[in-house]
Amino acid sequence: MNRPPDGPDDDGPGKTRPDFSAVTGSSESTAAGDADRADFGKVRSSASSTAARSGDQRYVVEKGDNLSAISKKFYGSANHWREIFEANRDQLENPDLIHPGQTLRIPDRDGDASDPA
């Protein structure tokens, strides 16, 4: 008849656990010294976001739209199409390829809707 273990170290009658108490560990590397390490000293990082800001608006692209026309509609000038493109880089790879039904972010121009150019 099998009996249940008596405690956490007892696996039952006739069973023993391996003894790992004399095991030692170490690690080695085949990598060369510091001279062969990659130099990341000139790496620069930056972060930008295409997330909507509080003043941003949304616009659903209609048939026949292009970024210049959308810029003119929102900013009064077609010259700000690139701002709309940059605000939507997460979904646009080419400023000439927008499609009806796409929802574009229209960035706020800090209250300045006039064309400074």
Side-chain angles (χ1 to χ4, degrees), residues 50-58 75 87 105-109:
T50 56
R53 297 183 307 185
S54 62
D56 290 354
Q57 300 179 55
R58 301 279 182 185
Y75 303 136
R105 215 171 355 285
I106 309 299
D108 183 31
R109 296 202 65 236

Side-chain angles (χ1 to χ4, degrees), residues 58-75:
R58 301 279 182 185
Y59 177 75
V60 178
V61 175
E62 298 174 359
K63 184 176 179 179
D65 276 341
N66 59 53
L67 294 181
S68 293
I70 296 169
S71 173
K72 184 151 180 76
K73 182 182 287 190
F74 282 90
Y75 303 136

Side-chain angles (χ1 to χ4, degrees), residues 59 66-75 77 80-89 92 98 104-107:
Y59 177 75
N66 59 53
L67 294 181
S68 293
I70 296 169
S71 173
K72 184 151 180 76
K73 182 182 287 190
F74 282 90
Y75 303 136
S77 170
H80 302 290
W81 65 269
R82 188 177 303 274
E83 293 174 41
I84 298 171
F85 175 63
E86 292 298 331
N88 291 279
R89 289 299 295 258
L92 299 178
I98 63 173
L104 300 179
R105 215 171 355 285
I106 309 299

